[in-house]
Amino acid sequence: VAQVQEELSAELRQLNDALPGLGWLKIAERRSGAIHLTPPDAAPEPRNLRRVKAAVLQQWGSVALIDFLKEAVLRTECLDAIRSVAGGGSIPADTLVERLVLAIYAYGTNTGIRSVAAAGSDHTENDVRYAATHYLSLEAARDVAIRIADATFGIRTQELWGEGSTAIASDSTHVRAYDQNIFTEWHSRYGGRGVLIYWSVEKGSVVVHCQLLSPSASEVHAMVEGAIRHGTSMTIEANYVDSHGQSEVGFGISRLLGFDLLPRIKQINKVKLYRPHAGQPDAYPRLRPALTRPIRWDLIAEQYDSMIKYATAIRVGTASTEAILRRF
């Protein structure tokens, strides 16, 4: 506890001393809230960005999306691990790969198997549907996505992409769905019925995890799931989220699971900071409007064993992350 207190004190002292030189941050007594952030100016467009785009277009032109998918399959061999859900299968390997590529393209672009099969391929609609039904399981789809992500990380040139990223950004996308779907719910923020797809994406725009959520579900547990159950070779040390992906419980559990939660808090002006030591109300005079009571270290010490137990259950998967976080 003493070590953590000193670390927090050092951070608050550093912020208190640096505050006069931070033009984008103001902390003062005001009715709307103590903390005021000034939005940053828009970053200028990179000088040679348009030249690079023009050179790429001149060199390769417009490439069909299905060609990108085909190249990814050929280079990563990600479909080799797919097996029939029935445990067998007599379709030749080359034929099966072609049908699976068509099925993935049909689902991924929302074109539909009927339209894809009718676009001049050598495979009928029934052929593609059979391959999708008997080979494309949820586990197989996740394994394919993981293999493509790992292959992308492995082939990147460090001179162009820099060192491997250890941070992801997480957010949800609202997808409208039929009322008959058992997951479909009304979403007040988006003003319609549907479901949520929660994405975890690294800085190079590679998706490392995605999951289906109901609109009423908390995004905090989805953030935790994406950070610890992505299954790729990426080591995640930080997770950027919006206001819906963070909470005080989220901060605590992410700390115990070994990664930093870095949120964009919409109502930052209402946020209050806790003091690490009792009996020192004037230790950080410039931060006083945003400070509140001291941290109750006795409560943390009393509940520490339970906190470790819950974090371990989440890490090893013996309990649902959503079920555990819902208790708090």
Side-chain angles (χ1 to χ4, degrees), residues 89-233:
S90 58
I91 303 177
D94 293 344
T95 302
L96 177 60
V97 167
E98 293 178 5
R99 294 177 182 177
L100 288 175
V101 168
L102 292 175
I104 294 172
Y105 181 82
Y107 287 140
T109 62
N110 204 27
T111 302
I113 292 179
R114 179 178 300 177
S115 299
V116 169
S121 70
D122 297 330
H123 307 281
T124 66
E125 178 184 351
N126 288 336
D127 291 337
V128 179
R129 288 193 184 279
Y130 181 90
T133 302
H134 289 78
Y135 290 88
L136 276 183
S137 62
L138 177 61
E139 292 74 15
R142 286 176 174 169
D143 185 62
V144 168
I146 290 173
R147 288 190 177 211
I148 292 177
D150 285 342
T152 303
F153 298 148
I155 203 173
R156 281 179 176 172
T157 303
Q158 185 172 343
E159 289 77 8
L160 294 176
W161 296 94
E163 296 182 359
S165 173
T166 58
I168 60 174
S170 303
D171 200 3
S172 62
T173 300
H174 184 257
V175 179
R176 295 188 180 274
Y178 292 110
D179 289 345
Q180 290 82 0
N181 188 322
I182 61 174
F183 287 102
T184 297
E185 293 180 0
W186 176 268
H187 200 295
S188 58
R189 187 152 46 97
Y190 293 99
R193 292 184 176 275
V195 296
L196 294 180
I197 305 298
Y198 197 80
W199 305 93
S200 298
V201 184
E202 64 94 45
K203 71 173 184 179
S205 301
V206 176
V207 176
V208 298
H209 192 267
C210 69
Q211 51 194 309
L212 173 66
L213 301 177
S214 61
S216 61
S218 167
E219 293 186 11
V220 177
H221 89 270
M223 172 274 299
V224 175
E225 285 285 300
I228 66 175
R229 308 221 192 284
H230 53 91
T232 70
S233 60

Side-chain angles (χ1 to χ4, degrees), residues 66-78 148 151:
I66 196 169
D67 289 334
F68 281 107
L69 176 59
K70 179 191 68 176
E71 286 295 323
V73 170
L74 293 176
R75 292 173 184 267
T76 65
E77 300 180 347
C78 58
I148 292 177

Side-chain angles (χ1 to χ4, degrees), residues 18-79:
L19 190 60
L22 303 179
W24 47 270
L25 171 61
K26 303 295 182 185
I27 297 180
E29 293 286 357
R30 54 171 62 90
R31 182 176 301 178
S32 60
I35 301 177
H36 176 74
L37 295 177
T38 302
D41 297 330
E45 181 180 283
R47 184 175 181 180
N48 293 321
L49 179 60
R50 297 190 181 186
R51 294 181 182 179
V52 171
K53 290 182 177 180
V56 170
L57 184 62
Q58 182 179 4
Q59 178 72 27
W60 288 286
S62 298
V63 182
L65 184 59
I66 196 169
D67 289 334
F68 281 107
L69 176 59
K70 179 191 68 176
E71 286 295 323
V73 170
L74 293 176
R75 292 173 184 267
T76 65
E77 300 180 347
C78 58
L79 298 183

